[in-house]
């Protein structure tokens, strides 16, 4: 037998030491207990080479046996923002802070539910679009890709198929949630095997032609602009409306951006997403984003089973470009359709100047839905969580509207406990009855 040399032995020792250091470093950046239950890539079978990145967290304190335990899907907005924003900054079980460390969320959305995050559409976050042409440019394509990714997810976890399934999301997901729910319900009618039990939108953009008209009156009402400025902003908003009704989708998008940019510049707010903020969300005090610094560490990508060669960005420019013609298009008719079949929750943080309460109520008033008059006749109740005023709720038939107090655009970030109570009681169909006057 060949004698192992002293140098070889010390090399091995060094290698082991290095490995231990790397492991400890990885553990330091991403503690084991913070790891998702599963994560990686789901194949979009209709698009060779296309992969949708996901993270999945099983319930921490399951109240029901697996086959009955709901699964909540979360979709990020943008268009083109990564689901890791929701996961690591808003509603996931561990969240990144300015110190670039993960901190346990005292009230995540996976307390009693399974929680699935997707980097949607492909081209966002760690999701792979083989070419830019593979990135969806409309809601139907988005719904089809999402459906395909969900099929791949259930293929990995066949026992999950019986679990109640809720589609949720925020901001531009105000488009994705209705279009995916609508698509899934169509599939159900044709005998498809994936179930859907409800749809929830937080601070959403769903019916832009109405929503773009709300900014001036809201900003004026809270003293951010004066009467003259209100008239000017209304004229900018009207340009977006006119172009939308002419179906000049890209020009309408540009006009809306002009109005929002003018509002941001004129008010000098740190963020239109929350009029109270002095720095934007997920930023250092100097205003630069910190989430990217965390996610782009090799140990983080490896912990998440993401391709370490990919540079993660919070929101993808390529997706934004592909979706330009979609921005001002409405998915209100899909909300009208799904309301006939499943419960819908629309909730907004009160201090959002982009996709806030008035913006949402204004388009809700235009819903073509038989129960709408009765919905508005229903009492708007004070919503309390553990005796604390948490906001307001109105619910009738399949529609529930919640205003979340002391929150901006990113409701779970600003009010983790109340947002958790909201989603849990809505899924349990007890949100409206839990409110007292
Ligand atoms: C931003 O606002 C300042 C005044 O506060 C004004 O001078 C400037 O022209 C504005 N810029 C844009 C792009 O609207
Ligand atoms: C902002 O602050 C962070 C953290 O203190 C620092 O790493 C970064 O370089 C700063 N960026 C700018 C543009 O000042
Ligand atoms: C990352 O890049 C390295 C070097 O180019 C390559 O060997 C490896 O296969 C890549 N990994 C993935 C997952 O693409
Ligand atoms: C509400 O949804 C249920 C399913 O949860 C459905 O059976 C019912 O028809 C819907 N109600 C209305 C008034 O659309």
């Amino acid at each position: 037998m060949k004698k192992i040399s002293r140098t070889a032995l010390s090399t091995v020792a060094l290698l082991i030491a290095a490995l231990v250091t790397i492991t400890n470093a990885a553990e330091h950046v991403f503690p084991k207990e913070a790891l998702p239950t599963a994560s990686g890539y789901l194949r979009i079978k209709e698009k060779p080479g296309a992969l949708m990145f996901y993270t999945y967290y099983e319930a921490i304190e399951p109240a029901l046996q697996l086959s009955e335990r709901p699964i909540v899907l979360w979709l990020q907005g943008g268009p083109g923002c990564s689901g890791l924003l929701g996961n690591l900054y808003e509603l996931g079980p561990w969240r990144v802070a300015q110190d670039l460390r993960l901190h346990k969320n005292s009230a995540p959305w996976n307390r009693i539910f399974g929680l699935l995050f997707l980097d949607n559409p492909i081209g966002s976050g760690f999701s792979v679009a083989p070419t830019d042409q593979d990135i969806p440019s409309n809601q139907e394509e988005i719904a089809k890709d999402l459906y395909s990714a969900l099929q791949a997810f259930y293929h990995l976890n066949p026992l999950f198929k019986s679990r109640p399934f809720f589609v949720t999301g925020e901001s531009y997901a105000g488009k994705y949630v209705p279009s995916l729910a609508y698509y899934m319900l169509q599939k159900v009618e044709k005998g498809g095997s994936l179930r859907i039990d409800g749809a929830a939108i937080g601070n959403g953009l769903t019916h832009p032609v109405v929503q773009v008209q709300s900014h001036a009156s809201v900003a004026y009402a809270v003293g951010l602009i004066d009467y003259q400025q209100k008239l000017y902003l209304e004229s900018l908003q009207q340009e977006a409306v006119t172009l939308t009704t002419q179906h000049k989708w890209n020009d309408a998008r540009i006009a809306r951006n002009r109005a929002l940019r003018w509002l941001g510049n004129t008010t000098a707010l740190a963020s239109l997403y929350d009029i109270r903020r002095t720095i934007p969300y997920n930023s250092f005090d100097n205003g630069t984003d910190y989430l990217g610094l965390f996610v782009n560490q090799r140990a983080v990508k490896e912990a998440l089973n993401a391709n370490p060669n990919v540079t993660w960005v919070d929101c993808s420019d390529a997706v934004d470009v592909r979706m330009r013609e979609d921005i001002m298009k409405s998915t209100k008719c899909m909300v009208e359709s799904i309301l006939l079949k499943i419960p819908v929750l629309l909730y907004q943080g009160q201090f959002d100047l982009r996709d806030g309460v008035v913006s949402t109520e204004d388009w809700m008033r235009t819903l073509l839905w038989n129960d709408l008059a009765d919905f508005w006749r229903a009492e708007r109740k004070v919503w309390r969580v553990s005796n604390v005023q948490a906001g307001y709720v109105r619910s009738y038939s399949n529609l529930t509207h919640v205003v979340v107090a002391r929150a901006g655009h990113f409701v779970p970030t600003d009010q983790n406990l109340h947002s958790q109570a909201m989603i849990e009681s809505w899924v349990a169909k007890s949100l409206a009855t839990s409110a007292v006057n």
Side-chain angles (χ1 to χ4, degrees), residues 139 174-175 178-179 205-208 329-335:
Q139 291 302 322
K175 302 277 191 75
S179 56
L205 184 68
T206 301
H207 192 46
K329 290 179 185 165
S330 173
T331 57
K332 180 169 75 101
C333 64
M334 295 177 188
V335 177

Side-chain angles (χ1 to χ4, degrees), residues 68-79:
E68 291 164 16
R69 195 182 306 150
I71 293 178
V72 169
L73 166 66
W74 176 265
L75 298 172
Q76 211 67 40

Side-chain angles (χ1 to χ4, degrees), residues 7-22:
T7 23
L9 271 177
S10 56
T11 310
V12 168
L14 273 174
L15 275 173
I16 289 170
L19 210 65
V20 167
T21 315
I22 289 168

Side-chain angles (χ1 to χ4, degrees), residues 298-310:
R298 194 177 179 92
V300 171
K301 294 176 186 175
E302 281 171 358
L304 294 173
N305 295 323
N307 183 342
N309 299 343
V310 171

Side-chain angles (χ1 to χ4, degrees), residues 174-318:
K175 302 277 191 75
Y176 308 149
V177 170
S179 56
L180 175 61
Y182 178 78
Y183 188 79
M184 291 185 81
L185 287 164
Q186 278 187 316
K187 287 279 187 186
V188 169
E189 261 161 40
K190 292 176 194 149
S193 60
L194 302 192
R195 62 183 281 179
I196 167 155
D197 296 84
I201 300 169
N203 295 71
L205 184 68
T206 301
H207 192 46
V209 71
V210 164
Q211 296 186 254
V212 73
Q213 298 175 61
S214 66
H215 309 295
S217 56
V218 176
Y220 180 57
V222 292
L224 285 165
I225 54 175
D226 67 15
Y227 189 77
Q228 304 272 53
Q229 291 171 319
K230 173 174 175 279
L231 294 181
Y232 181 65
L233 182 53
E234 278 167 353
S235 73
L236 294 182
Q237 292 173 177
Q238 190 51 46
E239 280 174 43
V241 172
T242 304
L243 291 163
T244 302
T245 53
Q246 292 169 350
H247 292 190
K248 291 180 179 161
W249 303 115
N250 193 42
D251 291 340
R253 175 190 69 87
I254 292 166
R256 173 176 178 267
N257 284 348
R258 199 180 299 129
L260 290 172
R261 238 198 336 270
W262 181 86
L263 181 58
N265 181 41
T266 304
T267 59
L269 289 174
S271 167
L272 294 182
Y273 289 129
D274 188 333
I275 60 172
R276 302 167 303 167
R277 293 191 71 89
T278 53
I279 52 168
Y281 280 111
N282 57 279
S283 299
F284 292 117
D285 290 346
N286 61 21
T288 63
D289 161 79
Y290 64 70
L291 212 53
L293 290 182
F294 176 81
V295 175
N296 279 310
Q297 298 173 98
R298 194 177 179 92
V300 171
K301 294 176 186 175
E302 281 171 358
L304 294 173
N305 295 323
N307 183 342
N309 299 343
V310 171
T311 302
W312 182 88
V313 291
D314 54 355
C315 300
S316 155
D317 287 338

